[in-house]
Amino acid sequence: MQNQSDFPTPYYLIDETKLARNMALIDQVQRESGAKCLLALKCFATWPVFELMSQTMAGTTSSSLYEVKLGRDKFPGETHAYSVAWSEQEMAEVLANSDKIIFNSLSQLARFEQQSRGHNRGLRVNPKVSSSSFSLADPARPFSRLGESDPDKIAAVIHQISGFMFHNNCENGDFPLFSQMLAHIEQTYGELLHQVEWVSLGGGIHFTGEGYPIADFCARLKQFADTYGVQVYLEPGEAAITNTASLEVSVLDVVENDKTLAIVDSSIEAHMLDLLIYRLDAKLPATGSVPVMVCGKSCLAGDIFGEFQFAEKPNVGDRLSIQDVAGYTMVKKNWFNGVSMPAIVVQRLNGKRERVQAFNYQDYLAGFGNQ
Ligand SMILES: *Cc1c(COP(=O)(O)O)cnc(C)c1O
């Protein structure tokens, strides 16, 4: 590990002081509501800061075998294993490395019922309401594959499980909306909730945001836990790491084409993929009145961070600090959800197939740190 105050750009800069602020809010929520907070690794998997986070958070939740193993290896506390679909060959390792396993469907529960017997098991329930404004990220979208919905079908397997996972909030900073959707869950699944020991309400609740009514939120969670006699879990991803990291870049060139364009040593496709997928602008503090379009150095024509008001025209060599890049950003250089990278196989001219590259869990780990 290098230890100097300035590194060559580009680099992501994670600020532990800012992380500690979020952890203090999570600590407050855990104490006042009784809920346990698990970090959703699909949002943020940079394990060299897990020591700090694990002093507050109760463990991790996952979306793949690699995330289960990362949680077990690098984050003390509980390890929840969830995936949209487990495969036969990974089940033994998932069970060996997790405290709870959450199945996404009744068919997966049935398929692994024998093998997972004796393990603490849960089922994902899809309440068919969500706070998402992007269809791409909406778990309640039509034809959603994310969880079971029919209370009668769930009742038929209730003796096989001891918990439920609901994840239907998405970037939701609106407490009344959260509470209203929880009431819908209570109305639809109330009888079933009385029969389980734990309920995870998933992620997507932005309770660490400025001005969020934490006391009301805690009271609502506590009321829910008391009504059904359950341990509540939350699975914050974004809320845990919001506003804790920046992407440090340098200006490589400044050109004019009806607008002033600053080309930096980064690329949204390579380093901030969510901007491209969700058509969002990067966050750069506006400091003046000179409009500058900040562009990436890839040859993708639309590789643009956004247009920002600079104090003055930028110069080659200037440093820019793009804000709030921890969530869904560092994990998207590769390995999103911990989904294993495909190997690369070449079929040679003689018809023989040769595997020229294969990836494993160690490669996944190394993508986020090596100290
Ligand atoms: C994505 C996800 C989370 C984390 O969501 P955030 O919006 O980052 O808080 C938690 N649980 C599940 C099941 C998820 O799919």
Side-chain angles (χ1 to χ4, degrees), residues 40 42-43 82 124 165 167 171 202-205 235-239 328:
K42 78 154 193 267
C43 171
Y82 164 75
R124 179 167 183 171
M165 189 265 276
H167 171 69
E171 303 201 341
I205 309 161
E235 303 176 355
E238 188 63 49
Y328 299 98

Side-chain angles (χ1 to χ4, degrees), residues 33 182-183 185-187 189-197 199 218-232:
S33 73
L182 189 57
I185 287 173
E186 295 183 86
Q187 272 160 21
Y189 304 102
E191 267 181 52
L192 295 167
L193 293 170
H194 280 294
Q195 298 174 60
V196 292
E197 291 160 19
V199 174
C218 291
R220 184 71 175 91
L221 294 176
K222 195 162 183 331
Q223 177 202 36
F224 179 87
D226 292 346
T227 303
Y228 303 101
V230 292
Q231 171 65 53
V232 170

Side-chain angles (χ1 to χ4, degrees), residues 62-271:
S62 55
S63 31
S64 67
L65 172 62
Y66 284 179
E67 287 186 355
V68 172
K69 290 174 68 168
L70 174 68
R72 182 44 61 87
D73 287 351
K74 300 290 187 189
F75 205 110
E78 274 189 70
T79 307
H80 285 202
Y82 164 75
S83 172
V84 171
W86 301 111
S87 74
E88 202 88 45
Q89 65 266 29
E90 61 192 8
M91 186 47 54
E93 231 183 330
V94 170
L95 294 170
N97 287 288
S98 63
D99 300 294
K100 293 187 175 72
I101 185 165
I102 299 162
F103 292 104
N104 183 63
S105 67
L106 292 169
S107 50
Q108 282 253 308
L109 174 62
R111 184 166 169 210
F112 296 110
E113 200 282 317
Q114 278 214 316
Q115 201 179 348
S116 65
R117 206 172 279 177
H119 211 73
N120 195 323
R121 298 186 292 205
L123 181 69
R124 179 167 183 171
V125 180
N126 185 336
K128 293 186 164 172
V129 290
S130 92
S131 67
S132 182
S133 48
F134 284 102
S135 159
L136 182 62
D138 182 1
R141 63 191 264 149
F143 317 112
S144 175
R145 71 194 183 298
L146 303 173
E148 295 287 348
S149 298
D150 184 339
D152 294 334
K153 287 186 183 159
I154 299 168
V157 298
I158 195 76
H159 57 285
Q160 294 177 20
I161 57 179
S162 51
F164 291 125
M165 189 265 276
F166 297 86
H167 171 69
N168 63 325
N169 287 278
C170 184
E171 303 201 341
N172 185 8
D174 179 345
F175 169 71
L177 177 60
F178 163 77
S179 181
Q180 199 183 310
M181 291 197 302
L182 189 57
H184 171 80
I185 287 173
E186 295 183 86
Q187 272 160 21
T188 314
Y189 304 102
E191 267 181 52
L192 295 167
L193 293 170
H194 280 294
Q195 298 174 60
V196 292
E197 291 160 19
W198 55 269
V199 174
S200 173
L201 297 176
I205 309 161
H206 274 215
F207 62 87
T208 55
E210 209 68 55
Y212 195 85
I214 296 247
D216 295 348
F217 179 54
C218 291
R220 184 71 175 91
L221 294 176
K222 195 162 183 331
Q223 177 202 36
F224 179 87
D226 292 346
T227 303
Y228 303 101
V230 292
Q231 171 65 53
V232 170
Y233 288 91
L234 300 173
E235 303 176 355
E238 188 63 49
I241 47 70
T242 191
N243 285 316
T244 61
S246 56
L247 176 61
E248 303 294 311
V249 302
S250 297
V251 176
L252 297 176
D253 196 10
V254 180
V255 297
E256 300 286 336
N257 184 11
D258 293 332
K259 286 184 176 178
T260 299
L261 313 176
I263 300 167
V264 298
D265 55 356
S266 179
S267 156
I268 60 169
E269 177 142 8
H271 303 160

Side-chain angles (χ1 to χ4, degrees), residues 8-34:
T9 57
Y11 62 90
Y12 301 105
L13 174 63
I14 305 169
D15 185 339
E16 285 198 327
T17 306
K18 294 177 180 165
L19 206 48
R21 174 204 164 267
N22 289 353
M23 292 304 116
L25 290 169
I26 287 179
D27 183 50
Q28 183 188 350
V29 166
Q30 292 186 137
R31 279 186 290 105
E32 290 179 16
S33 73

